[in-house]
Amino acid sequence: MEIISSYNLIIEFSVIIILSFLFNGLSKKTNIPAVLMLIALGVILQYVLHYFTSETIDFFPILEVLGIVGLIMIVLEAALELELKREKLVPILKSLAIALIGLGLSTWAAASILYYYIPDMTMQSAWLYATPLSILSSAIIIPSVAGLRSKKREFHIYESTFSDILGIMLFYFLTGKLNPAEDSGLVGFTGNFMLTIMISLIASYAIILVFQKIKSNVKLFLMIAVLLLLYALGKKMHLSSLIIILIFGLVIANMKLFFKGKLSRWLDYEKAHQIYHELHTITGETAFVVRTLFFVIFGLTIAITSLFNLQVALISSMLILSIYGIRIVLLLIFEGKDITPQAFIAPRGLITVLLFYAIPEEAKIAGFEPGILLFVIIGTSLIMTFAMIYEKRRSSKAVDLANSKGVGAVKWKVPSVLEEEDK
């Protein structure tokens, strides 16, 4: 039976998108991340493919491109949600601190575990393997926390976005260490970071000012094409390209803040705001499609049998314990006692997979089982699922208490719930 043909591909693509939409609806009702359902769909399709054909298909080039585009769309989608206000400064800085410290400690803990338990693993390679395993997945977190109260939802959007960017910067800083000729050290890395911010701001202002003057209705994908081009060129120049996407999203989402004084004369706010609104819609739609295809194809490529390897289970369990142990301590320090469900929302996903496949050949270790990757992704996603279900039940009980005893009683019983709802 011919699987890879024009009409079959159209049918397969359409069915996958429809199923993904249904998975999203099911995810909202059950709190099971749609990503897990997509990976499971990919695994099922893997066996279906093996049944109908013995031909081996190399999905990696598709997976890599989808991962990069998906990452850009997800970070842009998150940035478009972020409001930069004076009262938001403390939550933003707190989220940045938690993301930064959490990434550093988790990477160190994971590197130590991998170095100790995997044969022939060097410490340098251990850090490279540990970095993807230490990055939060905004691809999973952002859609999953939509039902949380605004304060907690914003925390997760900020934290996961910062984790993505900082994790990618750390990964490429470590890969630079593999080649001493290209390694510019910490000073060079800091200079590169500052240059990226400067280029990002200039590019963001230029794009908004130019696109507000374009009268054609066909301009949003042109804007996305420009952003993709800037990202790719930034990578070629060894810049932290994801910052370009983040800063552009922040500038267009907070135009009144960035276009002040004389700059405000150049901005046609109504036209620019319309572009922002339309970009927000198309970014969300594109991120949905790319995320769907990425995780289904990832499911097509993984060896599910590796999950039943005892060593894989042992190492993965230790990695998961280190992730949540560090996270709980950090949140207790920064957030106090109200850390549910935040402490358990730490899934790994798209960037973990993408960076794992980007590990240079000279740093790869034959003894590392890819099943560890899958085990950690599934394990952290399931823990998040149980935490979200618990939070949903807790919120329902608070509402029931409000209906039965009145607002006064609830304010005494569950003040934090009501105060955050008011905000």
Side-chain angles (χ1 to χ4, degrees):
M1 182 178 177
E2 191 180 6
I3 302 291
I4 311 298
S5 67
S6 301
Y7 291 112
N8 282 346
L9 283 173
I10 291 171
I11 292 167
E12 290 151 11
F13 172 79
S14 302
V15 170
I16 288 169
I17 295 300
I18 292 167
L19 286 174
S20 180
F21 178 79
L22 295 175
F23 289 163
N24 275 355
L26 188 60
S27 177
K28 288 176 183 176
K29 290 184 178 180
T30 63
N31 287 306
I32 298 170
V35 167
L36 287 184
M37 302 181 208
L38 292 172
I39 293 174
L41 176 62
V43 171
I44 293 167
L45 290 176
Q46 181 185 148
Y47 287 100
V48 171
L49 205 60
H50 284 320
Y51 179 79
F52 284 108
T53 179
S54 57
E55 185 182 349
T56 303
I57 303 168
D58 182 15
F59 287 106
F60 175 67
I62 304 171
L63 195 67
E64 186 177 24
V65 172
L66 284 173
I68 293 168
V69 175
L71 178 61
I72 292 168
M73 290 297 105
I74 289 160
V75 170
L76 180 57
E77 184 186 18
L80 293 173
E81 296 270 358
L82 302 180
E83 290 182 90
L84 297 179
K85 295 180 179 177
R86 187 170 294 175
E87 60 269 26
K88 304 271 186 185
L89 182 60
V90 172
I92 289 172
L93 291 176
K94 192 184 289 185
S95 301
L96 175 60
I98 292 171
L100 180 60
I101 299 169
L103 175 69
L105 292 176
S106 295
T107 306
W108 168 78
S112 302
I113 292 167
L114 296 176
Y115 178 71
Y116 186 81
Y117 284 98
I118 294 178
D120 303 322
M121 179 69 76
T122 64
M123 185 53 80
Q124 191 175 32
S125 291
W127 272 83
L128 267 174
Y129 275 93
T131 303
L133 291 165
S134 305
I135 301 172
L136 297 172
S137 175
S138 57
I140 298 176
I141 290 173
I142 291 171
S144 300
V145 299
L148 292 181
R149 295 185 296 278
S150 59
K151 184 180 176 182
K152 293 186 177 183
R153 183 175 66 250
E154 284 185 352
F155 164 75
H156 286 297
I157 292 173
Y158 290 135
E159 186 201 18
S160 61
T161 305
F162 286 137
S163 181
D164 285 352
I165 293 166
L166 293 169
I168 290 169
M169 289 172 64
L170 174 61
F171 181 82
Y172 285 107
F173 175 73
L174 293 170
T175 55
K177 292 287 182 184
L178 294 172
N179 188 350
E182 294 182 7
D183 182 23
S184 57
L186 189 59
V187 175
F189 184 76
T190 305
N192 175 293
F193 179 72
M194 299 307 295
L195 177 63
T196 305
I197 290 177
M198 187 175 70
I199 291 172
S200 303
L201 286 169
I202 294 169
S204 299
Y205 279 110
I207 290 170
I208 292 170
L209 293 175
V210 169
F211 273 80
Q212 70 178 3
K213 295 184 181 298
I214 296 176
K215 294 181 180 179
S216 171
N217 291 326
V218 186
K219 58 186 174 185
L220 291 176
F221 273 107
L222 174 63
M223 182 181 286
I224 289 173
V226 170
L227 291 173
L228 290 173
L229 178 64
L230 286 172
Y231 180 90
L233 289 175
K235 277 293 176 191
K236 291 286 185 183
M237 296 166 62
H238 304 290
L239 300 175
S240 303
S241 293
L242 209 57
I243 292 174
I244 298 173
I245 307 301
L246 176 67
I247 288 179
F248 170 76
L250 289 174
V251 171
I252 197 168
N254 300 272
M255 287 179 284
K256 289 185 177 179
L257 177 66
F258 286 93
F259 286 86
K260 283 187 172 182
K262 292 181 180 179
L263 280 173
S264 62
R265 299 174 191 171
W266 295 81
L267 181 70
D268 187 332
Y269 182 74
E270 286 187 9
K271 288 182 179 178
H273 186 71
Q274 185 181 354
I275 292 171
Y276 160 76
H277 179 71
E278 291 172 352
L279 182 65
H280 200 295
T281 302
I282 203 166
T283 300
E285 297 277 358
T286 307
F288 164 74
V289 172
V290 174
R291 185 165 51 226
T292 295
L293 295 176
F294 178 86
F295 284 111
V296 170
I297 292 174
F298 175 61
L300 276 164
T301 61
I302 59 178
I304 200 73
T305 51
S306 62
L307 287 176
F308 304 104
N309 183 312
L310 186 60
Q311 188 187 25
V312 167
L314 174 65
I315 294 172
S316 303
S317 299
M318 292 177 69
L319 289 169
I320 291 170
L321 284 172
S322 70
I323 287 167
Y324 290 105
I326 290 167
R327 184 165 181 79
I328 288 168
V329 171
L330 272 178
L331 287 174
L332 284 172
I333 293 169
F334 283 94
E335 294 286 342
K337 292 182 180 179
D338 183 22
I339 59 169
T340 305
Q342 303 95 294
F344 304 100
I345 298 178
R348 273 50 179 165
L350 189 148
I351 294 182
T352 300
V353 177
L354 188 62
L355 292 186
F356 172 74
Y357 285 117
I359 294 172
E361 285 296 326
E362 60 268 32
K364 287 185 177 177
I365 304 297
F368 183 88
E369 284 282 350
I372 293 171
L373 206 68
L374 181 60
F375 199 107
V376 171
I377 289 171
I378 292 174
T380 52
S381 295
L382 287 174
I383 289 169
M384 184 186 80
T385 300
F386 295 135
M388 294 295 286
I389 291 170
Y390 171 78
E391 178 67 11
K392 193 173 183 178
R393 287 178 179 172
R394 190 174 72 152
S395 298
S396 298
K397 285 180 181 178
V399 172
D400 292 341
L401 192 62
N403 292 333
S404 62
K405 292 190 176 182
V407 177
V410 180
K411 281 191 176 179
W412 179 77
K413 286 279 186 183
V414 281
S416 61
V417 174
L418 291 176
E419 286 167 10
E420 287 188 26
E421 287 283 53
D422 290 340
K423 289 177 185 177

